């Protein structure tokens, strides 16, 4: 029995490694900006450790730089991160064992969720926790490095590093579309709704979550669940 | 502003939505339709995050960002190592930054 857990954990670390790298790159950029916003080294790293929300942390820094109040930031980040509620719900439906849920759920982020979810049928808690922890350590490490040494990077590299989050998203989506073309419809519909809402309600905090919900509902009529189709091989 | 307090509050509002679903949604209790909807969430979420967020991925440089996204699509179409995709895409973008 112990062998199963070990191989699950090893698989989790292996699957998490690309995310580790991607998050490292992204969080170096975050660390640099955090320093510029006036965070102390402890605060910048603490943020990455207990909140652990890439896009959310970036947006927080943006809001602080434009003088937002604490209450405003908390509500905004709550709404922006609320999509993880849906992701946890999706994962919960796929999880075969339910161990250490408080720890497992802590590490649910966009990429780790996508990788965990698309990893196949029998989702194990050990795999997921190993995946999340590997990813998270990249994020924390990069934050520290970015804060302390980021300014030593060539300026051009500092500028383009922020794209790494989206490059990672694409790296996850393109193989999925190759496997099942209809997935592209869901992606595009979600994007379209988000852009449309962006015009109608420019500073809408709900836009992201509404887009995800509507696109997922539409998607449920376009796509069939054949569990095998959603497997991504790394 | 007390950044530590802010960070604590953000941790709470971030963690609760991540944790609760595991206790509310049990594998055996959800309908087929609902499972189908949840199945689309990863694609919808990433799609809504990239579009239009990725278009401004490199601050104030939409053209470069979109170029980067397109390069990433091409590179990841031909090989599925995410790290390699990132390295190649950033390497190509670098001279234009």
């Amino acid at each position: 029995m112990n062998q199963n857990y070990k191989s699950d954990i090893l698989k989790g670390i292996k699957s998490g490694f690309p995310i580790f790298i991607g998050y490292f790159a992204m969080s170096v950029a975050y660390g640099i900006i955090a320093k510029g916003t006036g965070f102390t080294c402890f605060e910048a790293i603490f943020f990455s450790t207990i909140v652990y929300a890439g896009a959310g942390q970036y947006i927080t820094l943006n809001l602080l730089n434009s003088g937002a109040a604490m209450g405003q930031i908390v509500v905004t980040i709550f709404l922006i991160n609320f999509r993880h509620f849906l992701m946890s719900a999706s994962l919960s439906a796929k999880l075969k064992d339910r161990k250490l849920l408080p720890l497992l759920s802590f590490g649910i982020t966009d990429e780790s969720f996508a990788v965990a979810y698309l990893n196949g049928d029998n989702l194990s808690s050990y795999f997921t926790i190993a995946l999340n922890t590997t990813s998270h350590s990249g994020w924390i490490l990069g934050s520290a490095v970015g804060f302390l040494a980021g300014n030593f990077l060539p300026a051009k590299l500092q500028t383009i590093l922020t794209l790494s989050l989206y490059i990672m998203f694409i790296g996850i989506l393109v193989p999925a579309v190759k496997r099942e073309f209809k997935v592209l419809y869901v992606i595009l519909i979600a994007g379209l709704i988000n852009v449309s809402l962006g015009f109608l309600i420019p500073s809408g905090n709900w836009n992201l979550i509404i887009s995800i919900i509507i696109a997922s509902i539409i998607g449920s009529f376009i796509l069939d669940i054949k569990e095998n189709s959603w497997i991504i091989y790394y | 502003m007390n950044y530590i307090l802010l960070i604590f509050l953000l941790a709470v509002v971030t963690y609760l939505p991540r944790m609760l679903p595991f206790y509310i949604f049990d594998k055996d209790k959800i309908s087929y339709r609902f499972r189908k909807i949840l199945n689309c969430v990863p694609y919808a979420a990433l799609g809504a995050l990239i579009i239009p967020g990725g278009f401004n991925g490199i601050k104030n440089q939409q053209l470069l960002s979109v170029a980067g996204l397109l390069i990433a699509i091409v590179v990841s179409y031909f090989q599925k190592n995410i790290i390699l995709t990132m390295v190649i895409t950033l390497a190509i973008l670098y001279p234009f930054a």
Side-chain angles (χ1 to χ4, degrees), chain A residues 39-200:
Chain A
F39 274 45
T40 64
C41 187
F42 174 76
E43 285 162 352
I45 299 177
F46 190 51
F47 200 4
S48 294
T49 310
I50 68 164
V51 177
Y52 185 29
Q57 289 176 233
Y58 264 85
I59 294 171
T60 303
L61 294 178
N62 268 334
L63 289 173
L64 284 171
N65 278 328
S66 39
M70 195 181 288
Q72 235 178 311
I73 301 178
V74 174
V75 172
T76 306
I77 298 307
F78 168 71
L79 289 174
I80 289 184
N81 285 341
F82 194 75
R83 64 187 184 281
H84 295 149
F85 181 89
L86 289 176
M87 295 176 182
S88 287
S90 302
L91 264 191
S92 182
K94 242 193 167 189
L95 213 54
K96 68 170 180 189
D97 58 6
R98 312 188 78 76
K99 306 238 165 67
L100 300 171
L101 289 177
L103 177 61
L104 193 160
S105 59
F106 177 73
I108 303 291
T109 61
D110 305 319
E111 285 82 2
S112 58
F113 161 72
V115 168
Y117 191 84
L118 301 174
N119 188 72
D121 272 345
N122 270 330
L123 197 57
S124 120
S125 297
Y126 293 94
F127 168 83
T128 312
I129 293 176
L131 170 71
N132 293 350
T133 308
T134 308
S135 312
H136 195 183
S137 26
W139 182 254
I140 299 174
L141 196 61
S143 303
V145 169
F147 189 96
L148 297 168
N151 289 319
F152 294 118
L153 285 177
K156 282 210 221 180
L157 188 57
Q158 288 184 42
T159 327
I160 61 178
L161 264 183
T162 46
L163 195 64
S164 48
L165 187 73
Y166 300 100
I167 302 176
M168 253 200 300
F169 288 157
I170 288 176
I172 295 174
L173 287 180
V174 168
V177 173
K178 276 176 85 172
R179 284 212 131 253
E180 177 63 67
F181 182 77
K182 286 186 184 171
V183 164
L184 183 60
Y185 296 139
V186 181
I187 298 170
L188 293 178
I189 291 173
L192 187 63
I193 300 177
N194 200 18
V195 170
S196 312
L197 288 177
F199 281 118
L200 296 171

Side-chain angles (χ1 to χ4, degrees), chain A residues 88 92 102 117 178 194 230, chain B residues 15 18 22 25 33 39 48 77:
Chain A
S88 287
S92 182
Y117 191 84
K178 276 176 85 172
N194 200 18
W230 312 136
Chain B
Y15 181 59
R18 286 179 185 172
F22 285 101
F25 301 106
R33 167 66 55 191
N39 201 45
Y77 184 83

